[in-house]
Amino acid sequence: MPVVLYKQSELTVNGKKIKTQLSRIGSSIITQKAGENVATLHFKTPIWFLLLLCLSILAWLSLLAFGIFKYIKKAN
């Protein structure tokens, strides 16, 4: 089963978290049992990404507030 894993990826196969061997291109090597297998790939978002996202939203809101303030001041 070809699955590409990154540093923050967690792979669960049949309800169990597993550590896999990686090929040289980064795809995982998973041994499967006969029958139906369920694999779930979860990516943990780094904290620095969430901080930068909040900073970006705050900057856009500040820019919007500044624009509204300038518009109101100009209208008076």
Side-chain angles (χ1 to χ4, degrees):
M1 167 177 10
V3 177
V4 177
L5 297 173
Y6 299 98
K7 186 176 181 179
Q8 295 89 1
S9 298
E10 287 184 349
L11 182 63
T12 305
V13 177
N14 297 329
K16 297 178 184 175
K17 288 185 183 178
I18 61 168
K19 292 190 176 189
T20 61
Q21 296 177 347
L22 298 178
S23 68
R24 63 185 182 95
I25 62 169
S27 63
S28 62
I29 301 170
I30 303 170
T31 55
Q32 302 174 14
K33 296 180 181 178
E36 185 176 334
N37 294 290
V38 177
T40 305
L41 182 62
H42 176 75
F43 184 79
K44 290 194 273 183
T45 307
I47 190 71
W48 60 264
F49 178 81
L50 295 176
L51 292 173
L52 289 177
L53 179 63
C54 291
L55 181 65
S56 176
I57 291 170
L58 183 62
W60 279 108
L61 290 174
S62 299
L63 184 63
L64 180 66
F66 179 74
I68 291 171
F69 174 76
K70 290 294 263 186
Y71 179 76
I72 290 171
K73 190 174 181 183
K74 186 178 180 180
N76 289 334

